[in-house]
Amino acid sequence: MDQMQNTVPDMWEVAGRRFTSRLIVGTGRYKDLPETAAAIEASGAEIVTVAVRRVNLSDPDAPMLQDYVPPNRYTYLPNTAGCHTASDAVRTLRLAREAGGWNLVKLEVLGPPPFLYPDMPGTFEAAEALIKDGFEVMVYCADDPLAAKRLEEMGCVAIMPLGAPIGSGLGVVNPYMIGAIIEHAKVPVLVDAGVGTASDAAYAMELGCDAVLMNSAIAHAQNPVLMARAMKSAVEGGRLAHLAGRMPRRTTADPSSPLAGLIR
């Protein structure tokens, strides 16, 4: 069995699509498109999110993301970044499907600043409309097990609770609720938003997440390409630690060498 685990790729699946990398990265906030491409390459990611309202996908006279991050190499995941109403989110993803034929999408409906917390009533409304329209919806949501289960039962193909507010870099601030969502979910669960550094990504994977999604943690690093490499290793290490099963926590010491039979 151990030999099989060392040779069989540890893949995960969403909406019938299988992936080896458990790191999903964004394509925004970098200083330019060459840096975007270099960081994504270093991350090893196979899925990249595309903010439909913010990224040039159609104007050939302006720099185009497709020229640097080719869609025949990466799976594009259009998202509704910047949408604060269900109607805006639905319209944005319908336009994305018209532009590129993308059916697997990331839905987010955001509340107001300063927290940009998921607007769950708007999320439910948009998810229902998109699923009826034939979209495969990966949904950004609150770290609420009841809301997560409702979205799953509606037909969302992946549940993506926030680790912390978007762009905050605070890490996974509510691991107990993330763990509860994972425990009861029958679709993939990904921590989305709030990751700040490699240890945050590793922790999310140790909790049992299927993958981690991030943008700012890489793009806002002093060296984005190096941070992308760090995140790749962190996600892989966290996944291995989850599969290995950590030692139990104790409130007292347990010496690694036996106390009995010591030479006196």
Side-chain angles (χ1 to χ4, degrees):
M1 184 64 178
D2 289 342
Q3 186 175 1
M4 285 294 292
Q5 288 179 342
N6 289 334
T7 57
V8 177
D10 177 36
M11 305 186 77
W12 68 289
E13 183 174 318
V14 58
R17 300 163 176 84
R18 303 189 74 196
F19 300 97
T20 300
S21 173
R22 293 175 181 268
L23 176 59
I24 300 174
V25 297
T27 53
R29 299 180 175 272
Y30 294 92
K31 69 178 183 182
D32 53 32
L33 286 171
E35 183 180 77
T36 304
I40 292 172
E41 170 76 23
S43 76
E46 297 166 291
I47 305 175
V48 296
T49 62
V50 179
V52 179
R53 302 181 73 186
R54 296 173 178 164
V55 174
N56 176 33
L57 295 171
S58 58
D59 181 2
D61 296 325
M64 297 183 69
L65 178 67
Q66 298 96 311
D67 294 334
Y68 294 86
V69 184
N72 61 351
R73 179 177 176 188
Y74 298 97
T75 295
Y76 274 30
L77 184 66
N79 71 20
T80 56
C83 291
H84 293 268
T85 67
S87 59
D88 279 351
V90 171
R91 181 170 59 252
T92 296
L93 291 177
R94 284 173 176 163
L95 289 172
R97 185 159 65 180
E98 288 295 320
W102 297 296
N103 205 53
L104 180 67
V105 297
K106 177 194 167 186
L107 168 66
E108 58 183 74
V109 181
L110 302 178
F115 300 111
L116 300 176
Y117 201 75
D119 178 335
M120 293 313 300
T123 299
F124 292 134
E125 180 184 345
E128 181 178 22
L130 290 167
I131 291 166
K132 285 181 178 178
D133 211 9
F135 285 93
E136 296 163 318
V137 180
M138 301 175 67
V139 60
Y140 174 66
C141 64
D143 50 356
D144 175 352
L146 297 180
K149 179 54 68 174
R150 178 178 170 186
L151 289 164
E152 178 185 326
E153 291 174 348
M154 290 172 65
C156 292
V157 299
I159 306 301
M160 307 169 72
L162 79 167
I166 292 172
S168 67
L170 291 173
V172 180
V173 299
N174 199 346
Y176 308 104
M177 292 298 98
I178 299 290
I181 292 171
I182 293 167
E183 181 180 357
H184 296 286
K186 296 179 181 177
V187 296
V189 176
L190 298 76
V191 157
D192 177 8
V195 169
T197 191
S199 57
D200 301 331
Y203 186 36
M205 295 304 299
E206 289 170 8
L207 289 173
C209 288
D210 293 276
V212 178
L213 193 156
M214 66 185 72
N215 188 174
S216 299
I218 296 175
H220 286 177
Q222 294 182 31
N223 186 329
V225 175
L226 191 58
M227 184 59 82
R229 288 176 53 197
M231 292 300 187
K232 178 177 186 287
S233 297
V235 167
E236 291 172 350
R239 174 63 178 171
L240 289 174
H242 172 70
L243 293 176
R246 63 157 291 141
M247 64 173 287
R249 289 182 169 88
R250 298 170 56 94
T251 58
T252 58
D254 182 23
S256 57
S257 299
L259 295 177
L262 296 177
I263 298 174
R264 300 186 184 279

